[in-house]
Amino acid sequence: MGIFNSYQVIEHLPRRYDVLNESKEEEFVDKARVTIVGKINSPVTIKKGYKVSAAMFSVASSTLRRSFNVLAYNRTFLTKSLNQDDVVTVWGIYNSKTNGINMINYSKGLIGPTDKVKPIYSLAQGLEQYNFQRIVKRCLEEYKDKIYSNVPFYYQNKYRLVSKYQAFNYAHFPLSMEQVRQALRHLKYEEALMFSLKNKLIHEENKLLTKIKKEPIGLDVCEPFINNLPFTLTEDQLAACNEIIEDMNDSSLMYRLLQGDVGTGKTVISFVALYANHYRGNQGAIMAPTDALARQHYKNALEMFKNLNIKIALLVGSSTQKEKDEIYHDLEEGYIDIIIGTHALFTKKIKYSSLGLVIIDEQHRFGVNQRQALLDKGKDADLLMMSATPIPRSLALTLYGDLDITTLSTYPNIKRSVNTRITYPDSKLIDDCIEKALKNDQKIYIVAPLIETSNDRFSVEELYKEYERKYPNEVILLHGKLKSEEKEEALNEFSFGSKHILVSTQVIEVGIDVKKATLMVIYDASNFGLASLHQLRGRIGRDGSKAACLLVVDNNDEEAKEKLSILVNSFDGFKIAEEDLKHRGPGDLSGIRQSGLPDFRYLNVIDDIKIFETARDDASYIIKHGDEKQFLYVIDKAKKLIEYNGVTKA
Ligand code: ADP
Ligand code: MG
C-alpha cells in the first residue's frame, strides 16, 4: 500500500465514514442506501456471474420482521469469515425487485454506541478493515508523545484546533461525525498552510529571476511559419500566441500554463512560440511525458517547420548512445535549434548553448514546479507548460499562485462528436459497434486497467487473447511494460498498418493522434478517474467523424454507473475535471496525480477552498513576520520541504 512505517499508517486516513443507524421500513425504496441488523439465516454461498462473483446470504431482521438477500460482489472470501447464525450489521444499496441488498460493507455484531461511525479505509486486497484498525491503534500508541504539528501555536489557538495527536485519534476512532470534522480541521489546515508557505517562498525567489532584455518582437515575425501551416489558426490560438510572445518580451522570465481540453490544438501554439524564440536566436526544447508522444511531436515538427531552415532533433530514452552523444555535442555547439524529447532532455550531461524557451507538454505528468530543474540549463529560459486537465481559473490561482494562465476554450473547426454509453461486459452493443467500425475500415481502442490477468478485473493480456480469437489478425497489444521499440512498433502498426484493434492500458491517454480511430471500449471504466476517461475518449473522432465510447462496468454496480453518467451527459472538460475533484475525499489518493494538481493528502481542492484562502493569508503574515521566534520553525520546515520535493507534494 506504499506504507513503510508506523507514522504512514497513522496518516492513512479512512476514505469515508459510514454512519450506522438501522433503517426504518419507509426507507426501503429502490436504490436507497440502507442498514440492517440481524442474524444470518442461511448458509453463506458463492454466486458466480460473468467475470464477477459474489458472496450471498440471507439476513433476518427482527425489528423489520423480514429477511433480506445480501449480495457482496467481489468478496467471495466472506464465505470464510461469515457463518450461519452470526449477528451482523450490513449496509448497502436496496433493490426492491429482488428484496435484496447490494452490500457496501458489514460489521459483525450489533451496532454499539462506539461504532455508530464506521471508518472505511482503502486497503490492499486481503487486508480487512478491522485488522487495519488494530494496526492503527498500535501505531498511534507508539507515537502518542511524538506527533508534532507544523501549525504555530498562535494559529492552533486562534482556530481552536485540537492537538494533532487528538486529530489522528478522532479521525481513526470517531464517536461522532463532529469529531471527524475536528480532526480534519487540523490536518487540512496544516496541509494548506505548508502548501501556501512553500508557494510563497518559491514565488519570492522567482520574482528575483530576470532575463537579458532582448529586442521586442510581435507575432508578425512568425508569419513564415504560420503561412506554412496546412490550416489557419483559430482566434483563440492566435490570442494565446500573442500572450506568450508578450511574455517573451517581458524582462522577467515567463512562467505560464497553457490549458485547454484535448484536441483544442495546443501543440501548434508551442511551435509558434518556438519559432519566435528561434527568430531571436535561441534554442528551444519540448519535453513530453512518453517516448511515443515525443516522437509524434517530432514528426509533426518536421512537417510544420519544413523548408524553414530550422534544425530539429529527437532525444528519447531509446536513442542509442551514439545518437545521444552526437546530440549532446550539437546542442552544446548550438547546431540544434529545437530539441524534442522526454525527461532525458534535462539529464546532467546536457548543456545548451543558448536555451531560451522550454515547453513542457502534459505538465501534470511531471509535477508543477519545474523551474528549479531548468535553472542550470539556461538562466534565461522561459517556461511554458501545457495541460489538458482544465481547472477553473479561481482554483488555479489559489493553487498555482504565481503561474500565469492561458486558456483555450474553443476547438479548431473540426466538430467533435463522441457518443458515450455505459454498458456491461457481455453486452451485444460492444460486438455490434466493433463490427461496424471494422466494416468501415476504422480503428478501435480497447482499454483495460491491468496488464496481467487477475480474478476480478479485466486485463489487456486476457482481452488481447479474447479479441484475437474473435477477430484474427486484427489485434495489437500495447502496455507500459513493453520495451520502447515494441511500443513504438505497436503504435506504428495501429496508425499505419492493416490491423484495426489496439488493446491497451492507459498509456494511450496522453496525446496519441490516430485520425481514423472512432471507437473506444473501456473495461472496468470505474477504475479510472473521470478526467482520465475524458482524456482517453479524446483519442477518438479526431477527424470529426462520428465516434463512440463504451464504458464497461459491472451491471450491478450502481455507484459506478452514477459516477460515470457525468461523462455520458457532458463533453466539457472543465465540468468533468471539477466533478472528478469533488468526488475525492481524504485518504482517497488514487489518480490524484493524473488530475494535474498538487497531490494533497487531506485537502479536497474544491470543497476546501475556504481553508486554502485562510491559509494563504496566514502564510503571508508568517513570512512578513518571519523573524519572530514563534514562526522560525515553520518557515525553516517549509524551506526544507521545498528542497526535498518541490512544491508539488503538500
Ligand atoms: P491538444 O490540445 O490535445 O494537444 P493537438 O495539438 O494535438 O491537441 O491538436 C489536435 C489536432 O488538431 C491536431 O491534429 C492538429 O494538427 C489539429 N489542429 C490544431 N489546430 C488546428 C486548426 N487551427 N485548424 C485545424 N486543425 C487544427
Ligand atoms: Mg497535446
Side-chain angles (χ1 to χ4, degrees):
M1 284 165 56
I3 292 178
F4 300 95
N5 59 46
S6 334
Y7 193 71
Q8 289 173 334
V9 169
I10 298 171
E11 285 186 319
H12 189 76
L13 291 203
R15 178 163 48 93
R16 63 160 207 274
Y17 298 87
D18 286 340
V19 181
L20 300 188
N21 278 316
E22 199 171 4
S23 304
K24 304 204 170 57
E25 188 57 55
E26 61 270 21
E27 291 173 47
F28 286 82
V29 291
D30 201 35
K31 299 207 171 118
R33 203 186 150 118
V34 294
T35 303
I36 56 165
V37 182
K39 206 180 230 181
I40 298 181
N41 65 348
S42 75
V44 182
T45 57
I46 293 180
K47 183 185 166 190
K48 270 207 176 308
Y50 180 74
K51 257 289 151 193
V52 283
S53 311
M56 181 168 69
F57 52 92
S58 162
V59 174
S61 158
S62 55
T63 24
L64 296 159
R65 295 187 198 181
R66 57 179 168 126
S67 300
F68 298 87
N69 304 315
V70 179
L71 279 175
Y73 281 94
N74 296 331
R75 277 173 284 184
T76 49
F77 54 83
L78 289 180
T79 52
K80 295 197 190 81
S81 38
L82 288 178
N83 295 302
Q84 187 155 4
D85 292 334
D86 282 350
V87 174
V88 285
T89 302
V90 168
W91 55 105
I93 306 293
Y94 183 61
N95 180 335
S96 63
K97 272 184 242 116
T98 59
N99 187 36
I101 293 177
N102 193 344
M103 185 176 96
I104 295 172
N105 220 327
Y106 77 101
S107 79
K108 274 197 182 176
L110 303 170
I111 317 172
T114 52
D115 46 31
K116 278 250 188 302
V117 181
K118 188 97 191 138
I120 307 293
Y121 297 88
S122 307
L123 298 175
Q125 209 176 20
L127 180 57
E128 295 228 39
Q129 299 288 336
Y130 71 91
N131 269 330
F132 188 71
Q133 276 215 309
R134 283 218 317 250
I135 298 170
V136 174
K137 192 151 218 140
R138 280 177 49 192
C139 294
L140 255 180
E141 263 155 37
E142 181 191 330
Y143 264 89
K144 193 166 169 73
D145 304 312
K146 293 184 239 161
I147 292 178
Y148 300 104
S149 175
N150 290 319
V151 180
F153 280 114
Y154 173 73
Y155 290 108
Q156 294 203 32
N157 291 335
K158 182 173 174 190
Y159 301 125
R160 295 171 201 281
L161 302 177
V162 298
S163 76
K164 190 167 175 186
Y165 169 77
Q166 187 64 289
F168 280 130
N169 203 19
Y170 280 169
H172 289 291
F173 306 101
L175 296 178
S176 65
M177 283 311 284
E178 174 56 23
Q179 290 188 344
V180 174
R181 211 179 62 85
Q182 293 298 345
L184 290 176
R185 253 167 36 96
H186 190 134
L187 300 174
K188 287 181 175 193
Y189 176 77
E190 182 185 29
E191 189 170 41
L193 184 68
M194 294 318 280
F195 176 74
S196 302
L197 270 177
K198 287 192 291 176
N199 245 343
K200 288 236 147 68
L201 289 170
I202 289 178
H203 188 42
E204 305 259 297
E205 211 174 282
N206 281 348
K207 267 198 296 201
L208 304 175
L209 302 173
T210 50
K211 59 193 169 197
I212 305 163
K213 194 120 175 95
K214 297 215 176 87
E215 168 208 353
I217 50 171
L219 188 54
D220 51 321
V221 306
C222 300
E223 258 164 30
F225 174 79
I226 292 174
N227 294 338
N228 209 19
L229 289 172
F231 46 73
T232 48
L233 295 175
T234 64
E235 270 177 37
D236 241 21
Q237 285 174 318
L238 286 171
C241 293
N242 272 316
E243 257 180 11
I244 290 166
I245 286 182
E246 239 165 71
D247 258 9
M248 295 170 75
N249 289 333
D250 203 71
S251 64
S252 58
L253 286 175
M254 167 156 63
Y255 193 32
R256 183 170 286 276
L257 177 72
L258 171 62
Q259 61 168 6
D261 210 351
V262 281
T264 45
K266 295 182 288 293
T267 316
V268 68
I269 296 175
S270 70
F271 287 1
V272 172
L274 285 168
Y275 186 85
N277 176 60
H278 171 259
Y279 177 88
R280 296 205 305 193
N282 286 332
Q283 288 176 313
I286 303 186
M287 177 162 82
T290 62
D291 269 29
L293 195 53
R295 281 171 202 280
Q296 186 178 294
H297 283 331
Y298 178 63
K299 209 177 110 236
N300 283 334
L302 287 182
E303 188 63 31
M304 293 192 197
F305 286 103
K306 201 167 51 189
N307 304 328
L308 292 171
N309 196 20
I310 291 178
K311 175 83 168 60
I312 302 170
L314 175 73
L315 179 67
V316 290
S318 57
S319 309
T320 63
Q321 195 54 48
K322 190 160 158 269
E323 287 169 333
K324 284 182 188 165
D325 289 340
E326 206 174 305
I327 286 178
Y328 297 159
H329 174 264
D330 288 357
L331 276 174
E332 197 166 349
E333 294 297 320
Y335 299 149
I336 292 173
D337 300 316
I338 296 176
I339 177 88
I340 299 177
T342 52
H343 51 263
L345 292 184
F346 294 100
T347 49
K348 286 233 160 57
K349 280 200 188 135
I350 298 196
K351 295 199 177 57
Y352 293 85
S353 72
S354 61
L355 188 63
L357 174 64
V358 175
I359 316 267
I360 299 180
D361 193 16
E362 305 292 347
Q363 154 272 145
H364 56 285
R365 291 290 162 133
F366 295 103
V368 182
N369 195 310
Q370 298 288 337
R371 175 62 65 79
Q372 315 285 347
L374 299 180
L375 270 178
D376 56 326
K377 297 296 173 200
K379 290 219 173 332
D380 291 327
D382 284 319
L383 180 58
L384 176 67
M385 295 176 276
M386 304 199 285
S387 169
T389 304
I391 55 170
R393 200 182 168 77
S394 58
L395 178 61
L397 287 177
T398 307
L399 293 182
Y400 299 143
D402 54 338
L403 209 58
D404 296 308
I405 299 168
T406 302
T407 303
L408 288 183
S409 44
T410 57
Y411 294 86
N413 51 16
I414 8 174
K415 233 181 127 147
R416 280 306 202 64
S417 131
V418 178
N419 181 0
T420 302
R421 298 268 300 269
I422 296 173
T423 183
Y424 51 93
D426 42 4
S427 91
K428 198 167 157 296
L429 182 67
I430 300 177
D431 296 334
D432 289 350
C433 288
I434 289 179
E435 265 145 40
K436 196 170 136 211
L438 287 177
K439 213 162 65 199
N440 294 325
D441 189 27
Q442 293 163 335
K443 303 272 171 165
I444 302 159
Y445 291 103
I446 309 281
V447 183
L450 298 180
I451 298 177
E452 279 151 33
T453 309
S454 101
N455 289 329
D456 57 0
R457 282 205 267 153
F458 284 95
S459 70
V460 288
E461 285 188 343
E462 167 192 32
L463 285 167
Y464 171 75
K465 280 191 208 127
E466 191 179 320
Y467 277 100
E468 181 62 29
R469 188 176 51 72
K470 272 196 205 161
Y471 308 102
N473 292 320
E474 282 287 7
V475 192
I476 305 160
L477 178 66
L478 176 68
H479 57 70
K481 278 204 187 140
L482 294 178
K483 291 206 201 81
S484 52
E485 306 94 79
E486 293 171 324
K487 278 190 240 174
E488 195 195 340
E489 200 185 309
L491 276 173
N492 269 334
E493 170 80 41
F494 184 60
S495 309
F496 309 112
S498 62
K499 295 186 176 179
H500 288 80
I501 303 177
L502 181 72
V503 177
S504 169
T505 51
Q506 207 175 351
V507 290
I508 52 157
E509 182 194 329
V510 283
I512 304 297
D513 194 21
V514 177
K515 289 263 176 347
K516 268 165 57 177
T518 57
L519 176 63
M520 179 174 286
V521 185
I522 306 176
Y523 284 85
D524 284 326
S526 57
N527 279 290
F528 299 96
L530 291 177
S532 288
L533 290 168
H534 183 62
Q535 290 285 309
L536 280 167
R537 71 175 168 174
R539 307 291 121 231
I540 52 174
R542 296 210 127 210
D543 62 354
S545 18
K546 274 207 174 112
C549 174
L550 304 181
L551 305 173
V552 184
V553 296
D554 175 356
N555 204 20
N556 290 295
D557 195 343
E558 299 298 335
E559 247 177 273
K561 285 192 211 167
E562 194 189 316
K563 171 180 140 184
L564 297 177
S565 65
I566 171 99
L567 289 169
V568 174
N569 300 321
S570 172
F571 206 78
D572 176 348
F574 276 95
K575 204 168 142 195
I576 291 162
E578 195 169 333
E579 206 58 38
D580 202 27
L581 296 169
K582 242 192 230 163
H583 277 113
R584 299 179 190 287
D588 180 11
L589 287 176
S590 60
I592 264 258
R593 267 171 219 103
Q594 293 151 18
S595 69
L597 297 173
D599 123 32
F600 293 107
R601 182 174 282 279
Y602 306 118
L603 288 156
N604 177 301
V605 290
I606 302 286
D607 295 344
D608 298 328
I609 207 85
K610 282 251 145 52
I611 300 180
F612 275 110
E613 283 165 7
T614 310
R616 198 178 49 193
D617 295 344
D618 295 346
S620 297
Y621 183 89
I622 290 176
I623 287 179
K624 228 198 232 147
H625 298 80
D627 44 1
E628 284 180 28
K629 203 162 154 241
Q630 58 171 340
F631 296 143
L632 292 180
Y633 174 78
V634 70
I635 289 184
D636 191 50
K637 186 77 186 260
K639 284 185 178 156
K640 285 213 179 92
L641 287 172
I642 293 171
E643 252 168 61
Y644 186 58
N645 54 18
V647 77
T648 51
K649 284 242 173 68

